[in-house]
Amino acid sequence: MKVDYLKKSLTIKQEIGDRAGEGRVLSNIGLNYQMLGDYDTALTYFKKSLTIKQEIGDRAGMIPTLHNMAHIYQQNKDVQGAVDAFVQALKLAQETNDAMGLYNVSRNFGRLLCEVGQKEQGLPLLQQSLQIGERVGFPDVEQVRQLIAHFS
C-alpha cells in the first residue's frame, strides 16, 4: 500500500529534521486517504501538514493543502469550513502570485459559492479562473467555461 511507503518516508524526514519534506509527505498521505474516501484521516494529515507549512513559512505550500482541506469540508457538507479554507487559500495564492493556485482555488471556490446560491460572489471567481486559465494555457479551461454557462 502506498500509504505505508509514505509513512516510512515521513519517519525518515522526521529523523533527519527535514520539516519541509515532512510537510509535503503529510500532505501526500492526506491525499491518499482522501482518494480512499477516509476523509477524517485525510483531514488529520492535512492539518498536520498545514501546521508545519505555517511554522516554516511555506506559504506557497499551504495553498494546495488548504485547497484539499476545503474539498474535504465540502465532501462532509461543512460549507463554512470549506469557505474558510478556500478564503485562506485564495488569499495566499493572490499574495504569492501563484497562477495555478489562483486558477484552481478560484474555480472550485466559485463553483461552491454558486452551488450554495451565492452567484454574485461565485461567478466573478469563475471568471477570474477562466482568465487565468486562458492566459496561462491550462488544458481544462473548457470546464470553467461550462461552469460559467451553467451558473449564468
Side-chain angles (χ1 to χ4, degrees):
M1 179 180 223
K2 188 174 181 179
V3 172
D4 294 332
Y5 291 109
L6 287 169
K7 287 182 178 179
K8 288 178 185 176
S9 177
L10 178 62
T11 299
I12 293 167
K13 299 290 184 189
Q14 291 168 331
E15 287 173 356
I16 64 173
D18 180 359
R19 296 288 282 165
E22 185 180 350
R24 283 190 305 273
V25 172
L26 286 165
S27 278
N28 287 333
I29 293 171
L31 283 171
N32 276 266
Y33 280 110
Q34 185 176 10
M35 287 186 285
L36 293 170
D38 186 347
Y39 302 115
D40 292 335
T41 303
L43 193 55
T44 297
Y45 280 97
F46 287 138
K47 286 178 179 179
K48 289 178 184 179
S49 173
L50 183 63
T51 297
I52 289 171
K53 291 174 181 182
Q54 288 169 327
E55 289 172 359
I56 65 172
D58 182 6
R59 293 167 17 128
M62 291 168 59
I63 298 165
T65 303
L66 285 161
H67 189 240
N68 290 324
M69 290 171 67
H71 282 292
I72 291 175
Y73 289 129
Q74 223 176 327
Q75 179 70 33
N76 290 340
K77 309 292 186 225
D78 179 357
V79 173
Q80 190 56 56
V83 167
D84 292 345
F86 276 136
V87 165
Q88 290 178 63
L90 186 60
K91 182 179 180 204
L92 287 166
Q94 291 166 336
E95 290 173 357
T96 59
N97 251 347
D98 179 345
M100 177 66 85
L102 280 168
Y103 174 72
N104 286 323
V105 175
S106 295
R107 179 189 65 223
N108 293 312
F109 189 20
R111 180 181 188 159
L112 170 66
L113 291 172
C114 287
E115 287 173 348
V116 298
Q118 297 181 19
K119 291 182 184 182
E120 60 282 350
Q121 290 92 14
L123 283 170
L125 287 170
L126 290 172
Q127 289 289 345
Q128 174 178 294
S129 179
L130 178 61
Q131 291 168 357
I132 293 166
E134 288 175 338
R135 186 178 70 239
V136 177
F138 290 132
D140 59 349
V141 78
E142 184 56 36
Q143 293 173 349
V144 181
R145 275 192 201 90
Q146 291 173 3
L147 285 171
I148 292 168
H150 175 75
F151 289 115
S152 292

